[in-house]
Every structure is written in C-alpha cells, then in structure tokens.
Amino acid sequence: MSYREEQYYLSSKENFVELDNDFKSHEGVDFNEYSSEEDLIQYIEGYASQAISLANNHWRAYNTLGNFYFSVGDIHNAKKYYLAATNVVKHEVILANLGTMQLCFDELEQAQNTYHDLIENVKDNYLGYENLGTVYLFQHQYQQALEQKLRAIKQQPDISIHQTWASLAEVYLRLEQPKNAAFYYTKALRQLERDELLKNAVLSDELFKLYYQVKLHKLSKNNILLIDISSKVTQFIQKEASYSLQARAHLAWLAEYVGNTNAKENIWHKVIKICPVYKRSPAVSY
C-alpha cells in the first residue's frame, strides 16, 4: 500500500495516555514498570476493555483496542474496533485506520466509502485523497488514482512521507509515463535520505531505498547503480519478517528482479495471506 504505516496509526501508548487522562479516578501508569512490551500491551488491552464497559461510546478505547489487535497481527479484530470507533466520532486517524483495514481485506467498495467519509468530515485533509487513490490503484483505474493522489499533494505539498511520493511514481509507471515516474521515485529517495540524516528512518526504509534505486536504474540508462543487488536482496530475504507489509511486497519484486523466483512466490504468498488486496497488485516490468 502506498503509505507509511507508522504515520497512520496512533500508538497504543499514545491512546492509553489519553484514556488515562479521561478516567481521573485511575492513577497514572509508569510504562517503565512493565518488563516487556507484551506485558504493557496486555495491560492496555484490559484497561481499554474496562473503559468501554464503563462508557460504551468511548472512541479512544475502541481505537486503542484496534491498535492493540493490529500490533499483534489480529487485523480482523482491529477492523472491528476501528469500525466501532467511527460509529462514535468521525476522527481522521480512525477513519484512515478503518479504511486501511478494509483495503487490506480487499473490501474496496467499503474502503472507498470510508475515504469519502473522511474527505467529507475532515476539511483540507490529504489522507482521504491519498488513500482513495490507492483504492483506484488496486482497481487498476490509474487515471482516477493519479487524480486523487495529486489532490492529496495539493492539500499537503510539503509532505515528508517518502511512500507518498513513491506511490505517485507507481501510478505514473502504470500510465506509461516513465519520466514522471523517475521524477517522483527520485523525490521519494531524497526524502528517505533526509530521514536517514535526521535519524528518522525505520528498519523497512533500507529495503525501500534499494527498491527506489533499482526502479530508477531501470528507468534511466545513465543511472549507474554501484550496488551488489543480488547480495542485498539475499540479506533482506533473511530478515523478511522484520519488514512492513509494503516493504515485503517490494522485496518480492526485487527477488524476481534478481531471478529468485522461489523467494518471490514465497513472499507474495505470505503478504497476500495477511492482506488479500495484494493479489490485485499488477506485475509491472520496466
């Protein structure tokens, strides 16, 4: 999917602090008291459940549970609680969360409705347009995808999420506009390199970086890539489970690029098992 997952989900800790502030009868929680992230998440789950039992319209509790289940890989329950949260309040992050789950499950019509809801309820917000463009991308309606993604950029022209620029590049590729695709892959790569300099990069970014470099290498005959791509891809395959879903989808493409068909098929199988919408990903050879 064409977004930076870390940007779209409020953390469970963040929501829990808001919950804690709302329920003044409960003393503050010292996160350092918990020996492991698992213990803390279990406590968050219990506390959010208690909040819902006391006030069943408490949207932050639903969102916290949605984040909790997403963090442990239970995306069915994640979607359930994001949907419950949207029935209480039309919050931009919750709507984006719900739409992302619906998109993941290949529920494209529902995702489309959710993103329209986001656009209608949150003025001047780029998320609805960006994600609606992604729905069209998976539907192979590339001109509509381009229109929505350009509207998202118009709403937030200085967006600092490299995946947003790369997603635009992917659309231009499918529209057979390689010059525009190269421009936006370059923009994505430069943003990622800035993230590295500012120490804002996450683990998956090392894989995204190679993907952008290889795409640019294929698009430009003058672009010399002084990297042992095969060795890098082999290293990434060994750490595959550590990467985000979108990064793993890119890894499948890279595996095919270096001729590792077995790895490509294995990675795609696991990605599609988690998010069935990826079976719609068009195979583009440029």
Side-chain angles (χ1 to χ4, degrees):
M1 286 169 229
S2 58
Y3 51 81
R4 184 171 188 166
E5 285 130 311
E6 293 81 2
Q7 295 286 331
Y8 283 72
Y9 300 95
L10 289 174
S11 71
S12 291
K13 284 185 181 181
E14 192 175 32
N15 278 277
F16 180 76
V17 169
E18 294 187 37
L19 271 174
D20 196 44
N21 289 335
D22 283 353
F23 286 83
K24 299 299 184 182
S25 61
H26 181 79
E27 295 182 0
V29 173
D30 181 1
F31 294 127
N32 295 322
E33 290 181 1
Y34 294 88
S35 58
S36 69
E37 183 75 9
E38 183 179 350
D39 290 341
L40 175 59
I41 290 175
Q42 286 179 354
Y43 186 84
I44 291 172
E45 181 190 33
Y47 191 64
S49 298
Q50 180 185 12
I52 291 171
S53 69
L54 295 172
N56 61 12
N57 65 343
H58 204 295
W59 70 266
R60 288 194 184 93
Y62 288 119
N63 194 55
T64 296
L65 282 176
N67 290 338
F68 163 73
Y69 285 116
F70 181 81
S71 72
V72 298
D74 186 348
I75 55 179
H76 290 275
N77 268 321
K79 189 184 78 167
K80 170 186 172 182
Y81 284 105
Y82 289 142
L83 180 59
T86 63
N87 289 331
V88 178
V89 64
K90 301 299 182 183
H91 189 287
E92 59 187 296
V93 174
I94 298 174
L95 286 167
N97 285 343
L98 174 61
T100 297
M101 294 296 98
Q102 292 167 329
L103 181 61
C104 173
F105 284 119
D106 198 28
E107 299 169 352
L108 297 187
E109 185 176 346
Q110 293 94 318
Q112 201 167 350
N113 291 336
T114 297
Y115 295 138
H116 279 298
D117 205 7
L118 174 56
I119 290 167
E120 291 171 7
N121 284 279
V122 185
K123 189 178 179 181
D124 300 329
N125 181 275
Y126 82 97
L127 285 177
Y129 295 113
E130 163 66 14
N131 292 345
L132 186 57
T134 299
V135 173
Y136 286 128
L137 180 61
F138 278 111
Q139 291 174 329
H140 303 182
Q141 298 180 46
Y142 303 130
Q143 188 59 45
Q144 293 93 323
L146 178 63
E147 291 169 3
Q148 296 303 321
K149 287 181 178 293
L150 287 176
R151 291 184 75 174
I153 298 299
K154 186 177 181 180
Q155 293 287 344
Q156 195 163 334
D158 298 323
I159 190 167
S160 58
I161 301 174
H162 63 81
Q163 288 95 330
T164 299
W165 301 112
S167 177
L168 197 50
E170 299 280 347
V171 177
Y172 277 118
L173 268 184
R174 288 155 175 79
L175 288 171
E176 299 183 2
Q177 298 183 33
K179 288 185 179 179
N180 283 329
F183 176 83
Y184 284 106
Y185 277 128
T186 301
K187 198 170 180 67
L189 182 59
R190 296 294 172 262
Q191 178 59 55
L192 194 157
E193 290 170 342
R194 281 195 288 273
D195 289 343
E196 290 177 332
L197 288 172
L198 296 171
K199 301 189 183 304
N200 291 331
V202 297
L203 180 62
S204 292
D205 284 346
E206 59 181 0
L207 206 164
F208 280 108
K209 186 175 184 178
L210 180 63
Y211 178 75
Y212 300 155
Q213 289 171 330
V214 174
K215 283 286 192 179
L216 285 167
H217 176 64
K218 294 195 70 178
L219 286 165
S220 174
K221 295 178 181 178
N222 298 322
N223 188 359
I224 300 173
L225 192 58
L226 300 176
I227 300 173
D228 185 346
I229 301 172
S230 184
S231 294
K232 292 281 288 184
V233 170
T234 298
Q235 293 172 18
F236 288 142
I237 289 172
Q238 292 170 349
K239 300 186 292 182
E240 175 209 339
S242 303
Y243 298 120
S244 70
L245 206 60
Q246 187 187 8
R248 290 161 70 183
H250 290 339
L251 181 57
W253 184 89
L254 287 166
E256 182 176 31
Y257 178 78
V258 300
N260 193 338
T261 305
N262 289 336
K264 178 208 75 172
E265 292 177 352
N266 182 48
I267 294 167
W268 271 123
H269 175 76
K270 287 185 280 189
V271 167
I272 291 170
K273 186 176 181 180
I274 297 170
C275 275
V277 74
Y278 275 103
K279 69 179 180 288
R280 295 177 179 265
S281 296
V284 182
S285 299
Y286 285 101

